[in-house]
Amino acid sequence: MQVAHEREAVTRAAPGEIDALIVGAGFAGLYMLHKLRELGFRVQVIEAGAGVGGTWFWNHYPGARCDIPSIEYSYSFSPELEREWRWTERYATQPEILSYLNHVADRFDLRRDIRFETRVTAAEWDEDHARWTATLDDGGTISAPYLILATGALSAPKTPDLPGLDGFAGDVLHTALWSDAVAIESKCVAIFGTGSSGIQVIPQLAARAAQLTVFQRTPNFAVPAGNHPLSEEQLAQAAATLARDREAARRSALGFFSVPRAGSAKAQSPAARAQRFEEQWGAGTTGMLLAYEDLLFDLESNGHAAQFIRDKIAAIVRDPEKTRKITPTGYPLGARRMCSEIGFYETMAKDNVALVDVREDPVVSVEGDAIVTRSGRHPVDVIVFATGFDACVGAIRAIDIRGRDNVSLRAEWDKGPRAYLGLAIAGFPNLFTITGPGSPSVLSNVVLSIEQHVEWIARCLSDLRARGGAIIEADADAEQSWMAHADEVAHQTLFPLADSWYKGRTRDGREVFMPYVGGVGAYRAKCDAVAGSGYAGFTIRESVTA
Ligand code: NA7
């Protein structure tokens, strides 16, 4: 009834016009489209890929898999969808997640409002007409009162600028832009990067290549993925408690079903600690971090957990030189993204796998058939970059966004990424960011965080529609206070002690910790309170066209 009533109140846009433009058709864009359409808005999605899925469309390197349990890393908005989809493994592979997203697109008939293989290159706010006009890479433009960036926090790939790379005669791949057409079998392969993607792809490459050379910059902590097929019994058990688990996750710190175990690592005896760590070692990606509730807050406790993992690494890798290079030191466990591994450390121990630490033996140049480091020459046929993303802000910065008075978002974010609640940016009216900087995003179960943002934005647009299509803009002082608060809560944890992609950097070198770590439950309560109060921290103006 409520939806039908809202449909009657649909906007005043002329036939063929749209109310909202969404950029991106990954988890965020698909649900945003569905939600707005359900509320009677006319929506157009622009997607660069040839299909839905966003990061899960592009990231199809061998071994790509989610490191959050599939049942948690899925939509909760439709109980029917939850009932009919059957995950086959605890941690879904990329093909399975992509099938899921394709199923969602079909089930909710989403494709008819998505324009594929089209990229938004620029977007400009027109104050006189209260609309955004986006420029597309096919030369067209499209305009709408509201612009929603569902561009993903990990979707703008980064490639290092190695001297001589252009002259390399072999194949070059990036894990985020994979091509199965490149032959790996019996080749000499080089891989740069040992983050989540590198750690997943390395065992797959080593099994097929004649020789694999891993160029590592910073060693990461990796724990056994603990993956397994999901039995009927396990699925039934999960289904029985799903609604309750989802609700608890929404109110939790990180948005997961599992929560940290009580107690402090440093307060326990070495024997009790070792036993608890052993129990958590096989408990999946977050297992070790959930061993004690103080691990992300107390350096001494954290040190015990870190040492436990270092000992495990040494026992698997054995070769003393490789162990020395691959063992993470100098930053707290969990302060950089925890990686989950299936056979990574065993692979690194193999004879056909070499490890170059580029911090002690830097790359000098790339030649036609080799990578030359200070200490020698490494012949290679294929170079794989597992060098990650311009995280949290890269995909937004890739669009030339101009707000009020033609202010450039890129130039503004050069002074430091900022967004009020990670949802809206002062100076950029009627623009929304899903999982933007200053929201839990990558330091939470991101699907849960996406759903929360989509639902908040949908509520906001409905409220604005009820006011005749009003204009909303974040206030600069509210935004500044929010970012200061986000920084303050980050500094109550150990996260700032590591150099990581969670941090953005300003032009003058200041660090900005981008994800909000004050807890997804507290964050949700804040967002709900803001909306409930009539959007405190925002200015709402009547539309000039009203
Ligand atoms: P990450 O986690 O950003 O990892 C990128 C890796 O590439 C990391 O180890 C980098 O080292 C390394 N890197 C970057 N440049 C170089 C050079 N020049 N030489 C050697 N190594 C380099 O990206 P992923 O794709 O693995 O994972 C991103 C997220 O996607 C992940 O958390 C999942 O949620 C999915 P650095 O640490 O910068 O020293």
Side-chain angles (χ1 to χ4, degrees), residues 115-234:
R115 196 188 301 178
F116 293 103
E117 294 184 274
T118 309
R119 201 174 273 279
V120 174
T121 55
E124 193 179 349
W125 171 249
D126 175 350
E127 180 71 25
D128 293 340
H129 299 96
R131 314 174 66 75
W132 283 95
T133 299
T135 306
L136 312 176
D137 64 354
D138 62 8
T141 59
I142 184 162
S143 88
Y146 301 102
L147 175 63
I148 303 169
L149 301 174
T151 39
L154 296 165
S155 53
K158 273 195 313 194
T159 301
D161 190 14
L162 301 177
L165 183 61
D166 286 349
F168 180 62
D171 290 303
V172 178
L173 287 167
H174 193 294
T175 44
L177 299 165
W178 195 259
S179 166
D180 292 321
V182 173
I184 301 295
E185 271 69 23
S186 314
K187 299 279 171 128
C188 286
V189 178
I191 179 163
F192 287 80
T194 49
S196 301
S197 305
I199 283 173
Q200 287 186 337
V201 79
I202 281 169
Q204 307 281 330
L205 294 176
R208 290 157 60 188
Q211 167 73 32
L212 181 69
T213 307
V214 178
F215 293 84
Q216 170 196 269
R217 191 159 66 186
T218 313
N220 281 303
F221 287 97
V223 296
N227 186 45
H228 54 73
L230 288 170
S231 66
E232 288 301 334
E233 196 186 341
Q234 286 164 333

Side-chain angles (χ1 to χ4, degrees), residues 443-505:
L443 263 170
S444 68
N445 173 357
V446 78
V447 178
L448 178 144
S449 289
I450 282 170
E451 287 196 320
Q452 185 246 333
H453 267 195
V454 165
E455 286 158 16
W456 191 95
I457 294 167
R459 173 183 179 179
C460 179
L461 291 198
S462 295
D463 290 343
L464 296 172
R465 179 172 61 189
R467 294 177 60 168
I471 302 165
I472 191 164
E473 183 181 338
D475 295 339
D477 53 351
E479 182 182 72
Q480 202 176 13
S481 315
W482 178 254
M483 292 310 282
H485 165 67
D487 187 64
E488 193 185 315
V489 293
H491 281 87
Q492 288 162 10
T493 71
L494 302 180
F495 285 110
L497 297 183
D499 199 8
S500 74
W501 54 254
Y502 297 140
K503 291 174 176 176
R505 221 168 278 276

